[in-house]
Amino acid sequence: MRRSRATRLRAALATTALAAAAATGAVLSMPEASAATGGADGYAAQNGGTTGGAGGQTVRATTGTQIHQALCSRASSSTPLVIEVEGTIDHGNTSKVSGGSCNTADDKIELKDISNVTLVGVGGGAVFDQLGIHVRNSSNIVIRNVTVRNVKKSGSPTSNGGDAIGMETDVHNVWVDHATLEASGGEAEGYDSLFDLKDNTRYVTLSYSVLRNSGRGGLVGHSDSDVSSSFVTYHHNLYQNIDSRAPLLRGGTAHTYDNYFVSLNKSGINSRVGAHVKVENNYFRDSKDVLGTFYTDELGYWQVSGNVYDNVTWSAEGAENHPAGPDPKSNTTVAIPYAYSLDPAACVPGVVTATAGAGKGLRVSDGSCSPQTPGPTPTSPAPTSPVPTSPTPTRPAGTNLSIGAGSDGSGKASGTSYGNVRDGNLSTYWSPAGSTGSVSIKWGSPTAVSTVGIRETAGTSGTIRSWRVVNGDTGAVLASGSGAGVVGFPRTTLGKITYEITGSAGTPQVAEFETYA
């Protein structure tokens, strides 16, 4: 009886879908061909392509504040930029930074109102711990080789509405590649989703990534009335121990191929509200209801081919429950506008396990089930200046040009003075009114400077975490980094130089702001 109802459902869906296909001109996908291994593919390669910050400056960041600093230090919000990230990024080292080329926040990595940016993990790895990545009103964004874990929407600390990576509001052309997105439970434990696309997010590819241990894998469209997001490719990803939404599709068009699904506990690919998805050469194992329309009678459509269903169980057809199985058949055709190469589904578990996720050397499949390493990897290029810098503790030779100069700042704590940073006395100091602030040295005539030395009082050494040195005449960032000390930069002639403290472990005390030619 269940098979009979499923057969009738598929016939009804097919009739509706064929009419929709005729109206939209849907045709079979174009012939397959090998895709480039080093750049964005799938839908992210359409609509002009996705290159991120390619061709722009490369900077290194070890804190969330430094990521925000790098965004805010650009000449404009569209200036190409590659941010290499190493270390653990968390709430303790992430704060809002202001500037004309950015729109950041304290409780997430905010890629908002920007374009042409690459965020890539390098070295020992980049882990965003309980801190989500938020893309809003932005375009041409690349996120690669990062781990985002345990982002919560309730409990403490919270970030990004509980999404590991979330995109919303007029976002287009984003490539997320070799990412590991993971939680430690579902909504009852305070987590929401791993990869959400909402409110007109289009031309996105998620490739060679791991999504695991979450109640919700991800969605396209935040409600049944949000059908504006579309054109999403999912390939060579591992979905493991996910309750549902792998993904949930509301309207739009998606393509999912060569993914490995293990332990989808309640449902998998949920196509609803008129969504169209091409599902090919995926491997489903030890899972339930891996494809269909679930939790609604607003039906979606699918084209299936080459998939393996290994120990997959199917529930009965019923109200708000419309599984594609136990013998999944296509009820539409989906036109795919790009070339791609398919691995046979039988080898997908092996090749995805060997390549997907952060820290895998950006290995990809060669299209014949064999992992290969594309070149160059993001660890190859050397960052260009200005680069976040660890200052040296030594004092430079020469005349301290701050002695006898003027000074001002953004604010000062009670009992401190801007003049205390240029009096040569290590027992007097300036403190900002809070944990961040700025102090400047200024001269009556243009003065050449190539080195500054920031000296904390003896009892507060190490309080200053992140900072940047700014040309007070032009606003250009001369250097940025973490920790007080001596830092050099290209010799610059200016009338005012500013030291901005953007992150600290308490209330900073700057005893001396030394400047040298």
Side-chain angles (χ1 to χ4, degrees):
M1 191 67 177
R2 187 176 82 175
R3 183 180 296 273
S4 175
R5 283 196 294 266
T7 301
R8 289 199 300 270
L9 171 66
R10 286 194 294 270
L13 289 178
T15 300
T16 305
L18 288 173
T24 59
V27 296
L28 292 174
S29 58
M30 65 192 301
E32 298 163 8
S34 296
T37 59
D41 56 11
Y43 275 115
Q46 304 296 296
N47 192 43
T50 303
T51 57
Q57 184 181 44
T58 298
V59 301
R60 186 70 61 92
T62 58
T63 69
T65 302
Q66 288 177 357
I67 293 173
H68 287 160
Q69 282 177 331
L71 295 170
C72 296
S73 299
R74 296 188 294 167
S76 74
S77 61
S78 62
T79 302
L81 175 68
V82 177
I83 306 175
E84 296 182 341
V85 183
E86 184 174 15
T88 299
I89 312 300
D90 56 26
H91 287 263
N93 61 33
T94 300
S95 59
K96 177 178 179 177
V97 177
S98 299
S101 60
C102 64
N103 190 346
T104 68
D106 288 322
D107 61 346
K108 61 179 75 71
I109 297 301
E110 187 77 277
L111 306 180
K112 182 178 180 181
D113 300 327
I114 64 170
S115 60
N116 310 326
V117 170
T118 294
L119 192 68
V120 57
V122 297
V127 176
F128 295 80
D129 185 30
Q130 302 185 78
L131 197 76
I133 298 174
H134 184 225
V135 184
R136 183 182 178 97
N137 193 31
S138 295
S139 62
N140 196 24
I141 305 295
V142 173
I143 301 171
R144 303 187 78 185
N145 201 39
V146 301
T147 295
V148 187
R149 66 189 184 196
N150 293 333
V151 180
K152 285 193 168 186
K153 69 174 182 178
S154 62
S156 181
T158 59
S159 175
N160 201 29
D163 295 341
I165 295 179
M167 307 177 201
E168 61 179 317
T169 313
D170 300 325
V171 172
H172 66 87
N173 290 90
V174 180
W175 180 33
V176 178
D177 178 66
H178 284 89
T180 296
L181 311 178
E182 56 190 6
S184 296
E187 190 171 20
E189 289 74 33
Y191 304 99
D192 190 8
S193 190
L194 298 177
F195 192 71
D196 274 6
L197 315 180
K198 311 170 186 176
D199 298 325
N200 197 32
T201 294
R202 302 157 75 84
Y203 298 102
V204 175
T205 295
L206 175 67
S207 57
Y208 293 98
S209 294
V210 173
L211 297 86
R212 63 187 173 206
N213 301 334
S214 176
R216 297 167 175 173
L219 55 72
V220 179
H222 66 81
S223 69
D224 284 355
S225 63
D226 176 19
V227 294
S228 58
S229 298
S230 186
F231 308 123
V232 186
T233 300
Y234 304 84
H235 74 87
H236 293 92
N237 302 300
L238 169 63
Y239 286 78
Q240 185 175 28
N241 191 27
I242 302 290
D243 285 346
S244 63
R245 302 186 183 184
L248 164 61
L249 307 168
R250 291 178 167 115
T253 300
H255 184 201
T256 172
Y257 70 91
D258 283 332
N259 299 290
Y260 182 30
F261 299 88
V262 186
S263 298
L264 302 182
N265 303 315
K266 297 180 180 178
S267 62
I269 301 171
N270 185 352
S271 179
R272 56 199 278 187
V273 200
H276 288 68
V277 56
K278 188 167 187 176
V279 183
E280 53 184 340
N281 288 34
N282 299 284
Y283 197 108
F284 301 93
R285 171 175 285 164
D286 301 335
S287 296
K288 177 184 178 182
D289 285 344
V290 299
L291 174 64
T293 296
F294 305 106
Y295 320 116
T296 182
D297 287 324
E298 297 289 332
L299 303 178
Y301 310 102
W302 46 84
Q303 179 183 353
V304 295
S305 63
N307 302 293
V308 171
Y309 305 95
D310 179 2
N311 192 32
V312 171
T313 60
W314 301 89
S315 61
E317 166 73 16
E320 299 191 345
N321 193 68
H322 310 288
D327 182 22
K329 302 293 186 184
S330 300
N331 56 33
T332 190
T333 59
V334 181
I336 302 298
Y338 49 81
Y340 57 102
S341 182
L342 283 169
D343 286 309
C347 76
V348 162
V351 74
V352 168
T353 301
T355 57
K360 294 290 183 69
L362 299 183
R363 300 178 81 199
V364 298
S365 173
D366 65 355
S368 299
C369 299
S370 297
Q372 62 177 359
T373 301
T377 66
T379 55
S380 299
T384 58
S385 296
V387 181
T389 305
S390 296
T392 60
T394 58
R395 189 171 185 175
T399 301
N400 177 9
L401 303 175
S402 298
I403 303 296
S407 55
D408 59 24
S410 62
K412 54 189 176 180
S414 176
T416 71
S417 168
Y418 300 125
N420 288 341
V421 303
R422 54 179 176 81
D423 61 3
N425 185 349
L426 292 177
S427 64
T428 64
Y429 61 90
W430 162 83
S431 287
S435 60
T436 62
S438 64
V439 62
S440 302
I441 300 296
K442 54 186 181 180
W443 298 272
S445 58
T447 300
V449 180
S450 66
T451 306
V452 300
I454 302 298
R455 297 163 69 82
E456 295 174 282
T457 59
T460 64
S461 179
T463 300
I464 296 174
R465 292 290 179 84
S466 57
W467 51 265
R468 62 182 190 172
V469 177
V470 177
N471 183 329
D473 298 341
T474 67
V477 177
L478 303 175
S480 62
S482 59
V486 176
V487 62
F489 46 85
R491 186 181 175 96
T492 304
T493 299
L494 39 68
K496 180 177 179 178
I497 189 167
T498 300
Y499 182 70
E500 296 182 356
I501 300 172
T502 57
S504 62
T507 301
Q509 295 183 2
V510 177
E512 291 298 301
F513 180 0
E514 301 170 345
T515 54
Y516 299 89

